[in-house]
Amino acid sequence: MKLITILFLCSRLLASLSQESVTEEIDCDDEDVFKAVDAALKNYNNRIQSGNQFVLYRVTEVNKTVGSETFYSLKYQTKEGDCPVQSGKTWQDCDYKGAEEAARGECTATVGKRESTKFSVATQICQIIPAKGPVVTAQYTCLGCVHPISTESPDLEPVLKHAIQHFNNNTKHSHLFALGEVKRAQRQVVAGWNYGITYSIVQTDCLKKDFLLLTPDCKSLSGGDVGECTDSAYVDPQLRIASFSQNCNIHSGKDLVKPHPKICPGCPFEIPLDSPDLAEALTHSITKLNAENNETFYFKIDTVKSASAQVVAGKKFFIEFTARETTCSKEDNTELTESCEIKNPGQSLSCNAEVYMRPWEQKVYPTINCQVLEMTLLKKRPPGFSPFREVPGVKKGGGTIRHLMSCEYMGRPPKTGTEPKPESEAESSRLAQ
Ligand SMILES: *[C@@H]1O[C@H](CO)[C@@H](O)[C@H](O)[C@H]1NC(C)=O
Ligand SMILES: *[C@@H]1O[C@H](CO)[C@@H](O)[C@H](O)[C@H]1NC(C)=O
Ligand SMILES: *[C@@H]1O[C@H](CO)[C@@H](O)[C@H](O)[C@H]1NC(C)=O
């Protein structure tokens, strides 16, 4: 069955695009992040048989996936504490064990949030590095919990291969389709594995009547039809795909060619960070930045955080990026070149640029606005966070950076009667060096 879905409205198109970005990296100042880490660490501590509990050291990475249920994918580091497993204490009641004989750990966990308060661990892998002896890996998977997995997981490959074959075997479309992009994937561990996958497919130039199966010679057609499929598969313990169901919507390629300028003139839209147009806008931005600031050294673009464009009698780009000081001085170099290396330690800037281009007049109007980021913090940026102690943001040169320092777990809350201040400050400055 061929379903043609036509997208009429700009708003609907934009809404459906935004729905696709369900996973985002988030800051560690989210209270739920702490609850998710707490659940993961308790899960680990509850499963160790002997020795001491592990205590949070810092959270290094957090992704949040919002769908019918919210999931946190976390990476965090732990240090061995001074309370035995059987002590009846929770890890928050323990201090770090003396550094020389303490074990360290790094865990990756997926934690689901239910009914807005319950956090349950779906999967967790911890690498424990003892003071002496080999690294130990501990793995936990909740049976029956559905949880998101990486869209790049190699376990998806056989399922996707089967899915594309299934589509091509059953479609009435004249051409074969190839896999576009995997958008979401989830897994449930049962006796075997259940997978749910959402991905796009693209029309190739191979006619179905000429080719039985998709081959590497089949090239995707630009302007061809595209589709989105949501499949379920059960893979049995022998790794066979024992049951499979598929639901695909095909959109006619004609409807989707350059939808933004056609359907929604004037709407800003996100552009890919590798687009050639953006490269030009970035060159103008950094040239402007170097011309405007009075630093001795040239700055270069380090990372582009986001970019969007708007069609308005020309094209306007909105770009957010960070720039770093290079070793090329303005005195010895007439311009910034590829070979200019980032200076370390060096200044960093967080910038917003607007570049308005009117190609027919060969005119470019860049404006740029940057804030200075803390130099030493960027040398060593501590991720992770403290749920218990508020550490103020660090101010410098008018730019405020939030939460860079508050990302470390700094031990348990002070006992009544002890003075927390000097100790915690000593601790945090030591860690920041
Ligand atoms: C978070 O997402 C990024 C980008 O998709 C990925 O590279 C990273 O491994 C993810 N981190 C965790 C802890 O899942
Ligand atoms: C698709 O058809 C080919 C050729 O008939 C067959 O070998 C293959 O197993 C089929 N694949 C699926 C997933 O149905
Ligand atoms: C750079 O120096 C010039 C002249 O001294 C001054 O007008 C300008 O505001 C300075 N720019 C910045 C970014 O400090």
Side-chain angles (χ1 to χ4, degrees):
M1 189 180 66
K2 184 175 170 185
L3 271 172
I4 304 272
T5 307
I6 300 169
L7 297 167
F8 293 99
L9 297 168
C10 171
S11 60
R12 282 199 44 195
L13 183 65
L14 291 176
S16 72
L17 285 175
S18 64
Q19 268 166 20
E20 281 169 13
S21 53
V22 286
T23 303
E24 53 172 345
E25 283 182 45
I26 61 165
D27 233 352
C28 51
D29 59 344
D30 187 326
E31 192 191 337
D32 281 349
V33 172
F34 175 68
K35 291 187 184 158
V37 175
D38 179 47
L41 189 49
K42 281 192 178 132
N43 169 289
Y44 178 79
N45 282 329
N46 286 343
R47 286 181 300 107
I48 44 182
Q49 307 293 326
S50 60
N52 288 331
Q53 298 203 32
F54 278 75
V55 177
L56 180 62
Y57 171 47
R58 60 187 179 184
V59 182
T60 55
E61 232 175 274
V62 188
N63 292 345
K64 181 178 181 179
T65 306
V66 181
S68 51
E69 199 180 330
T70 300
F71 283 93
Y72 292 91
S73 305
L74 312 153
K75 216 178 220 171
Y76 65 93
Q77 295 171 356
T78 59
K79 286 182 180 172
E80 189 179 351
D82 61 358
C83 327
V85 177
Q86 315 291 0
S87 62
K89 292 181 175 175
T90 63
W91 64 265
Q92 285 95 334
D93 301 325
C94 313
D95 287 314
Y96 296 132
K97 194 176 163 186
E100 322 74 55
E101 75 269 33
R104 289 175 293 126
E106 181 163 75
C107 302
T108 307
T110 310
V111 182
K113 177 185 174 186
R114 286 199 192 86
E115 298 153 25
S116 78
T117 52
K118 282 192 196 136
F119 289 82
S120 58
V121 181
T123 65
Q124 174 152 248
I125 295 183
C126 290
Q127 302 266 11
I128 303 298
I129 308 151
K132 311 187 192 60
V135 174
V136 184
T137 305
Q139 187 158 4
Y140 168 81
T141 308
C142 158
L143 276 183
C145 297
V146 177
H147 58 92
I149 58 170
S150 162
T151 53
E152 277 147 35
S153 165
D155 298 346
L156 293 175
E157 272 168 34
V159 180
L160 287 165
K161 189 164 172 238
H162 181 95
I164 297 295
Q165 268 192 22
H166 181 97
F167 177 84
N168 284 327
N169 284 2
N170 294 292
T171 182
K172 294 208 168 63
H173 202 285
S174 54
H175 289 74
L176 295 178
F177 279 66
L179 179 65
E181 177 201 1
V182 182
K183 296 183 172 166
R184 294 184 275 282
Q186 57 185 32
R187 174 158 60 192
Q188 178 187 33
V189 179
V190 285
W193 300 268
N194 282 323
Y195 288 94
I197 321 176
T198 302
Y199 54 93
S200 64
I201 52 175
V202 290
Q203 183 182 344
T204 69
D205 57 0
C206 289
L207 275 170
K208 224 186 132 164
K209 66 178 169 58
D210 299 334
F211 291 84
L212 198 55
L213 289 169
L214 195 67
T215 72
D217 294 332
C218 302
K219 298 284 175 258
S220 58
L221 279 176
S222 75
D225 292 353
V226 296
E228 181 166 294
C229 303
T230 299
D231 300 357
S232 319
Y234 167 62
V235 177
D236 70 15
Q238 287 74 46
L239 300 177
R240 287 179 306 224
I241 297 172
S243 93
F244 182 79
S245 73
Q246 184 169 60
N247 183 2
C248 297
N249 283 323
I250 306 301
H251 312 280
S252 164
K254 286 188 213 79
D255 300 325
L256 289 172
V257 180
K258 295 193 187 135
H260 295 291
K262 247 198 217 160
I263 305 174
C264 185
C267 282
F269 51 94
E270 283 207 19
I271 54 173
L273 299 184
D274 58 359
S275 95
D277 275 4
L278 178 62
E280 195 188 334
L282 282 170
T283 307
H284 291 300
S285 305
I286 196 71
T287 307
K288 176 88 173 169
L289 187 155
N290 283 319
E292 267 186 4
N293 80 12
N294 296 333
E295 302 286 338
T296 317
F297 295 93
Y298 282 108
F299 279 71
K300 71 192 267 185
I301 291 175
D302 185 31
T303 38
V304 180
K305 290 188 206 149
S306 68
S308 52
Q310 188 177 19
V311 179
V312 277
K315 211 165 185 186
K316 205 166 189 175
F317 293 87
F318 304 91
I319 317 165
E320 226 189 310
F321 62 88
T322 53
R324 303 276 304 265
E325 194 174 2
T326 68
T327 51
C328 295
S329 75
K330 288 181 182 170
E331 205 166 277
D332 302 335
N333 300 273
T334 51
E335 58 176 11
L336 175 72
T337 59
E338 285 288 327
S339 59
C340 293
E341 309 242 0
I342 286 172
K343 199 162 154 230
N344 197 0
Q347 193 74 259
S348 288
L349 302 174
S350 168
C351 303
N352 283 298
E354 258 185 55
V355 183
Y356 180 29
M357 295 201 220
R358 298 168 71 113
W360 62 93
E361 293 175 352
Q362 304 204 329
K363 288 235 167 89
V364 182
Y365 306 91
T367 54
I368 185 151
N369 191 348
C370 294
Q371 293 196 312
V372 177
L373 294 174
E374 176 73 22
M375 178 148 49
T376 47
L377 278 181
L378 279 151
K379 253 196 313 177
K380 183 163 187 196
R381 185 199 309 236
F385 77 120
S386 161
F388 294 131
R389 288 180 198 166
E390 288 288 331
V391 182
V394 184
K395 282 191 181 161
K396 200 206 166 189
T400 305
I401 328 131
R402 295 183 316 132
H403 306 299
L404 285 180
M405 290 296 295
S406 64
C407 277
E408 208 129 341
Y409 179 71
M410 280 177 267
R412 60 197 170 123
K415 292 186 200 96
T416 42
T418 57
E419 266 302 316
K421 258 278 157 99
E423 193 191 306
S424 82
E425 269 173 14
E427 172 86 334
S428 69
S429 58
R430 185 167 59 72
L431 291 167
Q433 273 151 27

